[in-house]
Amino acid sequence: MRSTLHVLTILAAGLLVLGGWRIYDDARQEERFIESTQLAKDRIHAEIRLRSALAGVAVSRAGWVQTVDPGWFNPLPRNAWFAAPDQPWIEIAPESEGRRQDPSEISITRQNQATWWFNPQSGSLRARVPELTSGNATRALYDLVNQ
């Protein structure tokens, strides 16, 4: 009887450790996605700033390039949450959005949404994030990635 109790205790402790490890590993994965996406965003924005300063490119009235060519990058900077090769890469905000700083949709809810958003009127580049369980959680992740 006593040995059965010891075995059950060891099994319960093992399950707790395994569950804790899984939670820790998921948190680390999320941190890696955030860091990777922030680095990719910085790389894209640096290239946009460089191309906007060069002569011979079409720029907005605010002085930012009007298009972002994927050929400027090798390899193409990716948003870590979205790896589908057929998903649009970057959405260029129309002039009607003025100097808007953020896209109207901060999360990806459809397969045809671009993972990056750029507004040539304001120079704002934003990474979209996955839709989480609540709007507040999604907004918090978006703000963290795009700080």
Side-chain angles (χ1 to χ4, degrees):
M1 181 69 176
R2 200 142 176 81
S3 64
T4 304
L5 184 59
H6 287 302
V7 168
L8 288 175
T9 303
I10 290 171
L11 283 174
L15 288 173
L16 285 173
V17 168
L18 185 62
W21 180 258
R22 178 74 178 164
I23 290 169
Y24 172 77
D25 189 49
D26 287 349
R28 289 293 304 142
Q29 178 71 11
E30 190 77 2
E31 288 174 11
R32 285 190 293 272
F33 279 13
I34 290 167
E35 290 172 8
S36 171
T37 303
Q38 286 172 332
L39 285 172
K41 180 179 163 283
D42 291 345
R43 183 172 166 226
I44 295 168
H45 206 247
E47 190 67 29
I48 288 172
R49 284 192 305 270
L50 173 67
R51 299 291 175 147
S52 296
L54 295 175
V57 294
V59 295
S60 67
R61 286 180 283 180
W64 295 98
V65 292
Q66 293 180 322
T67 61
V68 180
D69 184 358
W72 296 345
F73 307 95
N74 187 20
L76 189 64
R78 293 282 180 191
N79 185 321
W81 284 280
F82 311 104
D86 59 335
Q87 188 162 21
W89 181 63
I90 193 164
E91 174 187 346
I92 305 297
E95 195 170 333
S96 62
E97 291 199 17
R99 298 186 59 79
R100 187 181 186 106
Q101 297 294 312
D102 296 299
S104 55
E105 296 175 322
I106 63 171
S107 64
I108 299 284
T109 57
R110 299 179 316 278
Q111 190 66 17
N112 65 346
Q113 282 179 289
T115 58
W116 302 99
W117 178 88
F118 175 65
N119 186 342
Q121 306 310 314
S122 65
S124 297
L125 174 70
R126 299 291 186 254
R128 287 196 169 111
V129 296
E131 190 168 37
L132 301 179
T133 55
S134 74
N136 289 340
T138 302
R139 175 51 98 172
L141 178 60
Y142 175 82
D143 290 342
L144 183 62
V145 169
N146 290 293
Q147 63 182 346

